[in-house]
Amino acid sequence: MKKQPLYLCSFDIADNKKRTKMVKFLKKIGYRIQKSVFIIYPEKQDKEKIFDFFKKIKDKNDKLGIFYLCQNCANKINHLPKIKEKDYEII
């Protein structure tokens, strides 16, 4: 069984309402590990949807980063509590 790509997504959004919108959006496709950091398991089109959504709500100084994690790197993530999502068990 082929595993989905795994990404680390972080953002810095100053406006509370816009930040809340971004959190709700990302919770649909990922797992929140910090207030503004998510592990996401996007389908191919979801990555572009994340960028498009961010572009709609962002202000001048807001930032978004999406970082691909290879399976080897994903297996090395240490996080408490343990993160379990879909086909991944990241310890």
Side-chain angles (χ1 to χ4, degrees):
M1 181 174 174
K2 186 178 177 191
K3 300 219 179 199
Q4 280 183 275
L6 178 67
Y7 294 88
L8 185 69
C9 178
S10 66
F11 59 89
D12 185 6
I13 299 174
D15 182 85
N16 287 336
K17 287 183 182 181
K18 291 179 180 185
R19 189 171 48 248
T20 298
K21 286 180 183 180
M22 190 69 180
V23 167
K24 287 180 181 179
F25 181 80
L26 290 174
K27 278 185 174 181
K28 294 176 185 175
I29 57 171
Y31 181 81
R32 190 177 198 176
I33 60 171
Q34 296 266 326
K35 289 196 180 259
S36 61
V37 180
F38 284 75
I39 288 181
I40 56 174
Y41 308 88
E43 299 297 328
K44 192 172 187 176
Q45 69 278 10
D46 287 342
K47 192 173 158 192
E48 288 305 314
K49 287 180 185 178
I50 294 167
F51 282 114
D52 290 344
F53 183 80
F54 179 74
K55 287 175 189 175
K56 285 185 214 174
I57 66 167
K58 80 178 205 74
D59 287 331
K60 181 180 177 184
N61 294 318
D62 292 344
K63 296 172 182 68
L64 170 71
I66 298 178
F67 310 94
Y68 173 75
L69 298 175
C70 70
Q71 190 61 49
N72 189 38
C73 294
N75 289 335
K76 294 177 183 177
I77 293 173
N78 293 312
H79 189 271
L80 293 174
K82 291 181 183 176
I83 300 167
K84 292 183 181 181
E85 189 69 25
K86 295 190 180 182
D87 294 331
Y88 295 93
E89 180 172 356
I90 303 167
I91 301 173

